[in-house]
Amino acid sequence: MRVALHAEWTKIRTVPSPLWLLVGTVAATVALSAGATSVVNCTASGCGGDTTKLSLMGVYIGQALVAILAVLIVSGEYGSGMIRTTLAAVPRRAIAFAAKAITLTGVVAVGGTVAVLGSVLAGRLVLPDLGDQALSLTNGPAMRAVVGTVLYLILIALLSLGIATAMRDSATSIGIVLGLLYIVPILVQTISDPYWQRLLQKIAPMSAGLAVQATTDLHSLPISPWAGLGVTAAWAIAALSVGGLLLRMRDA
Amino acid sequence: MSAPGIVVAGLRKRYGPTLALDGMSFSVRPGLVTGFLGPNGAGKSTTMRVILGLDAVEEGTALIDGRPYRSLRHPLTHVGSLLDAAALHPGRSGRNHLLWLAHSQGLAARRVDQVIEEVGLASAARRKAGGYSLGMRQRLGIAAALLGDPPIIMLDEPFNGMDPDGIIWMRGFLRSLAAQGRAVLVSSHLMSEVQDTADHLVVVGRGKAIADAGVAELIAAASGNRVALRTTAGAHAMKVLARAGATVAATGRDTIAVSGLPADRIVTVLNESAVPFSEVSAHRATLEDVYLDLTREAVEFRAATPTEVRR
Ligand SMILES: Nc1ncnc2c1ncn2[C@@H]1O[C@H](COP(=O)(O)OP(=O)(O)OP(=O)(O)O)[C@@H](O)[C@H]1O
Ligand SMILES: [Mg+2]
């Protein structure tokens, strides 16, 4: 396992695209977050609304780049045929797969932390000091939102890795992941029945998982913050299981 | 310990409607270069993937020094292989490609630089592999196969894309690997590529081995006691020789292949019947003849003319 991890780490750091995708994740997340916070109207009594959630808004975009990074780690190898070299070097497929998942987790944890802390910092710079206390990391709910958002990005990466291992092809996998993330929120807008609306928001990986960013008005959420992140985790586990099982069963 | 080298026994593998392997059995022994020959689609690459535990079979076993590949710890120190030289990330340098492979086996970077030297890739090692020629990729693939200093080396079509110098280098290189006591399996669909290199040949067609013998043995068997006869009175000669119990076939305008009679008997028979002839000689088959003979039945995608198969 240790050598398999070492190999995956060497792989990921010796091509330029993962680094650029991580830099892109940070840049896009911080930029969108800063943009979102700059349009709030603050008064002396506060800024109104959930400023923590607003200042972490950038993950809406950042997660797409994380998903692409995760997909390319496996589907890139299927595209070139290098997966056979990988599996000849590490023939125990559960180990080969775990090594990829752990390496990805580490890389996204670092990139995601930078992106999320950058967003918080941007929010503090943009919002007037007196306006809001919500962005202080000593504040419990704000801290939960920050940590939860990093975890959310890791889960999206693992979900994407599982899907890419099952589908093998880059374009198909990216299509499925982005569809899963972005189509559901659009679909929700078209549903008029509030019961179905809330149900969809409870089970969709993005709307459920991002409940972890909410710091105000928690009772009106379709799902509680940690339970929501749990739903995203369930998606990731399901995708990893299917991908891992297919990797073990199929010819390379 | 059980048999060293590779032992493949009774492999059966189906891809949808295609029966890719149909009872493939042979072994690859230490100290020899074994040529793995067969026409396109005969099942050579599939067999190699099965040996490496990449593809699963319905029946049969493939063992490395008596053990299944998937059970090997640090497998590249047991078997070095090259299946597809193009299977690289184009944005990674050749050296870094070898580096991750080395790390996957717990090997140090020093070993990477050694194998780069050995295959003559030092000047290009730090360039992106995407810019390599096919010949350079083959050398990088060979370097990867050597990385773990394995006792078994398995190469799928390593001559592909090599220039004449590269082919000569590759031949000497394969010989030296066998001379070091390694078991070497090299596939090709051209006899000419392996005939001067291989000690042993496994000829395959339609998913099974149709010959598995030493090079000298194969030539002797195919040559039989055939005698080549040159005469201007072909029809007459064939008639008298057939009557004397020989099997005859015209092989050219004035040449006949005779088998079933020794050369001195043939001369006597011809003299008795006053058939003129200018030459009687023992026929020696070339490996190319042997190969074409063996695979004639098994060629799946026959080229427009036989000469094209012969290249
Ligand atoms: N992954 C696959 N899916 C479907 N069919 C396959 C697959 N791999 C091989 N085959 C089929 O199995 C048969 C054997 O193919 P294989 O590639 O092993 O032959 P080969 O001897 O290596 O030929 P070549 O000299 O052309 O490389 C062929 O009919 C091929 O079409
Ligand atoms: Mg082949």
Side-chain angles (χ1 to χ4, degrees), chain B residues 39-46 48-49 83 156-157 187 189:
Chain B
N40 294 125
K44 304 180 294 293
S45 301
T46 304
M48 291 188 168
R49 286 199 302 275
L83 290 190
D156 196 6
E157 314 248 3
S187 81
H189 46 261

Side-chain angles (χ1 to χ4, degrees), chain A residues 10-11 14 88-89 93 251-252, chain B residues 13 53-54 56 69 87 92 103 105:
Chain A
T10 306
K11 266 188 208 170
T14 53
R93 298 193 180 177
D251 288 344
Chain B
K13 169 82 189 168
L54 295 171
Y69 187 88
R92 189 178 281 124
H103 288 161
Q105 309 298 305

